[in-house]
Amino acid sequence: MKVMLHEMSWTEAKEYSIKSNIAIIPVGANEQHGPQNPLGTDHLIARAIAEETAKRTGVLCLQVIPFGVSSHHKQFWGTIYISPETFKDYVKEVCLALNYYGIRKVVIVNGHGGNLYALIEMARELREQEIFVSIFQWWSAANKLLPDLFKPEERRHAAAEETSLNLALYPHIVDMDKAVDEEPRRHIVQAEGITLPLDTVDYTSSGVFGKSTTASAEKGKKVFEVVVKELVKHVNLLKEAKIEDLLQKLKV
Ligand SMILES: [Zn+2]
């Protein structure tokens, strides 16, 4: 059975939406991930997790939306950034297009933390239109489900955990000879309770936050398997849930 929307014909898409009202959309970013990882890291990982989950659950999966909210990485070449508003509206309109065919439950597989605020806002707006959107972030799941697999300095941007997933999924585009460890700098005016409008360049020169040289394909495979299993669990629960139970209203 096909699960990728772009591989279906319109008659197959029609058949799917007659029997099901749920879809998965992977979203990510195209931004620097240190000298060893591809720029596409965030959307490539999100795509792999979404597609595998779709295969295991039989739920419709869309193509990955590759560009996200990444202006904080712009000083590093190749980073393509769009505004939070544009990102939110784009993903929202994709959900609304699906809704035209009866899709009322959407699982966003988000590969980039910088997208989260825009996605949360979008999910709230879509709830107003009786569309239920959940957001999955693999690193949050991995942190909880595999707390000892990586040290905190290996779990940051472009560090060992993310690099390991790339090694497991896309080894031909990772160059471990270029992997570095870089302790992020503390800003000169930083103090407790202070939030600053910082870009990545203020913390690191390589683009890596923390330790990346300890990455391995084996650890990456473990993360992939565990996070996909968790997402499959969520998708199956969501598939079965009634829309009126998801979008509660007070009974009068
Ligand atoms: Zn990333």
Side-chain angles (χ1 to χ4, degrees):
M1 187 190 53
K2 287 181 195 167
V3 285
M4 296 304 302
L5 179 66
H6 67 286
E7 292 178 0
M8 292 177 180
S9 65
W10 76 264
T11 54
E12 287 167 331
K14 179 185 171 190
E15 223 171 279
Y16 178 87
S17 51
I18 286 169
K19 62 177 174 45
S20 194
N21 64 356
I22 178 169
I24 301 172
I25 309 175
V27 304
N30 193 88
E31 63 178 34
Q32 77 78 22
H33 273 77
Q36 79 278 24
N37 286 307
L39 290 160
T41 293
D42 287 349
H43 76 260
L44 290 171
I45 294 175
R47 185 183 82 180
I49 292 170
E51 290 186 10
E52 186 58 27
T53 303
K55 273 187 219 150
R56 293 190 198 181
T57 56
V59 165
L60 179 75
C61 184
L62 269 64
Q63 300 94 312
V64 69
I65 295 174
F67 303 123
V69 184
S70 300
S71 73
H72 50 294
H73 288 289
K74 65 176 175 289
Q75 293 86 352
F76 295 83
W77 279 254
T79 298
I80 305 296
Y81 54 97
I82 56 173
S83 70
E85 295 75 25
T86 301
F87 175 74
K88 187 189 78 176
D89 289 347
Y90 192 102
V91 183
K92 188 178 174 180
E93 288 181 29
V94 173
C95 293
L96 290 171
L98 281 171
N99 186 244
Y100 184 75
Y101 306 108
I103 302 294
R104 298 187 65 189
K105 306 165 187 172
V106 178
V107 179
I108 303 282
V109 177
N110 179 30
H112 170 54
N115 293 341
L116 185 61
Y117 289 126
L119 290 171
I120 291 172
E121 227 176 280
M122 181 202 76
R124 296 220 67 86
E125 288 175 15
L126 286 176
R127 184 179 168 135
E128 298 297 313
Q129 298 185 49
E130 311 252 299
I131 300 166
F132 188 82
V133 178
S134 65
I135 303 160
F136 181 75
Q137 301 199 132
W138 66 263
W139 59 94
S140 309
N143 211 359
K144 285 269 183 219
L145 301 169
L146 295 165
D148 305 320
L149 193 63
F150 293 100
K151 298 193 182 80
E153 64 270 26
E154 296 176 307
R155 293 204 119 121
R156 308 184 68 186
H157 179 83
E161 187 172 42
E162 213 171 16
T163 306
S164 294
L165 266 171
N166 275 334
L167 282 172
L169 298 166
Y170 311 101
H172 57 294
I173 45 173
V174 185
D175 187 351
M176 281 307 283
D177 293 340
K178 293 187 180 154
V180 292
D181 300 332
E182 186 175 352
E183 189 50 42
R185 293 185 286 274
R186 190 178 156 87
H187 195 269
I188 49 170
V189 300
Q190 187 63 61
E192 290 308 327
I194 294 295
T195 299
L196 299 166
L198 299 185
D199 283 343
T200 301
V201 75
D202 297 311
Y203 297 102
T204 142
S205 308
S206 65
V208 173
F209 285 68
K211 204 173 174 69
S212 76
T213 52
T214 46
S216 77
E218 196 194 332
K219 284 184 178 181
K221 281 181 191 142
K222 199 165 191 177
V223 173
F224 185 75
E225 197 43 51
V226 165
V227 301
V228 166
K229 208 171 142 202
E230 189 67 10
L231 184 56
V232 165
K233 190 164 91 182
H234 168 71
V235 169
N236 281 333
L237 287 169
L238 194 59
K239 206 157 78 169
E240 295 310 316
K242 289 196 193 98
I243 201 83
E244 51 276 25
D245 291 333
L246 295 169
L247 304 168
Q248 291 278 345
K249 293 193 175 93
L250 274 181
K251 290 162 187 78
V252 282

